[in-house]
Every structure is written in structure tokens, then in C-alpha cells.
Amino acid sequence: MHHMTLWQHGFGDGVVAQEFVTDSVNADLMIRFICINEEYRYLLAIAILASLYTAWQTFVHLSKRDFFDRRTSILLDFSGDQIVAYLLISAASSAIPLTNRFREGQDNIFTDSAASAITMAVLAFVSLALSALFSGYKLSSTHSFV
């Protein structure tokens, strides 16, 4: 399954967005649910934002260019990891109650896809939270703020 390959290469956030788009047999139903419900739009928007942030970080790391000075770069990594991680957990927690309500009425491919997207958002949160811990350590060990 190509989702695990993307996850292992650091693009776990992109899987959240892909769950909404690629795993549905009835795409019209899925698009209608996403457009109507703010919770799913929020989850999808944050998943796209997190994917772009992760792609940018990967590009910066692999290109080995200095776009900013070292201190600014470390501070941006730490801040970005914190912001995107909390946005991901917020988006996942907003979509859980709606998905549970839909599952009470009918359990179908859409509710399964929504549940897997929520799970991927939580896993992406965990990975970014760990990244924020490492960024925080890097920030504190390289600079004295006293």
C-alpha cells in the first residue's frame, strides 16, 4: 500500500488529505459531505496545510541550503512544528463527534474514510509533536536566552 511508503518518507500529513480523496468508491457522496460539514472542511484544510509544511521542511532539509540564518531557522522549525501540530489535533478532534454521529446512522465507505483520515491526523500530530520536542531541544542547546 503506497500510504505506508509516504508515511515512512516523512509525508504522513499528506496521507490525511489523500484519505478523503482516494479511498472512496462514491466520490460524489464524499465531496458533498465535505462541502456541507465545516468539521470535514477544517480537517481537509489543515491536512493540506500540514502537507505543505512538511514538504517545505523536507525540501529545506534535502537541499541543504540556508534560507535563513541558523537561529531564525531553528526558531521557525520549532514554531512551525508547534503550530501545525496543534492545528492537526484540533482538526482531528473537531471531526470525531460528527463521524461518530454518522456512524450511528449508517456505516459506509465515507465514515470509514473519515475515521482513517482522523487517525492519520492524530498520527501526524504525534510525529510533529515529537519533532517539536527535538526542535525545542535544539533551540535550547544552541542558544542561551538568559
Side-chain angles (χ1 to χ4, degrees), residues 10-133:
F11 291 102
D13 305 328
V15 175
V16 178
Q18 288 178 353
E19 287 296 329
F20 274 115
V21 178
T22 60
D23 284 351
S24 175
V25 172
N26 190 350
D28 293 334
L29 176 68
M30 183 166 292
I31 291 170
R32 197 172 29 173
F33 273 116
I34 291 172
C35 292
I36 291 172
N37 299 299
E38 291 178 7
E39 294 88 346
Y40 292 139
R41 284 189 302 201
Y42 180 53
L43 180 60
L44 183 61
I46 297 303
I48 291 169
L49 179 73
S51 299
L52 292 173
Y53 174 73
T54 305
W56 170 254
Q57 275 194 326
T58 303
F59 170 73
V60 168
H61 179 72
L62 293 177
S63 69
K64 299 186 183 199
R65 285 193 220 160
D66 293 328
F67 292 96
F68 305 103
D69 66 4
R70 182 166 167 75
R71 180 175 187 213
T72 304
S73 179
I74 293 171
L75 190 60
L76 284 175
D77 282 347
F78 177 70
S79 300
D81 289 348
Q82 289 281 318
I83 291 167
V84 174
Y86 287 113
L87 284 173
L88 277 166
I89 200 67
S90 169
S93 65
S94 73
I96 290 171
L98 186 61
T99 303
N100 285 339
R101 278 197 304 268
F102 282 151
R103 282 187 164 224
E104 289 173 1
Q106 181 180 2
D107 194 14
N108 58 24
I109 190 80
F110 175 74
T111 57
D112 292 342
S113 294
S116 63
I118 292 168
T119 302
M120 289 296 155
V122 170
L123 290 174
F125 162 76
V126 169
S127 69
L128 275 172
L130 288 172
S131 179
L133 285 174

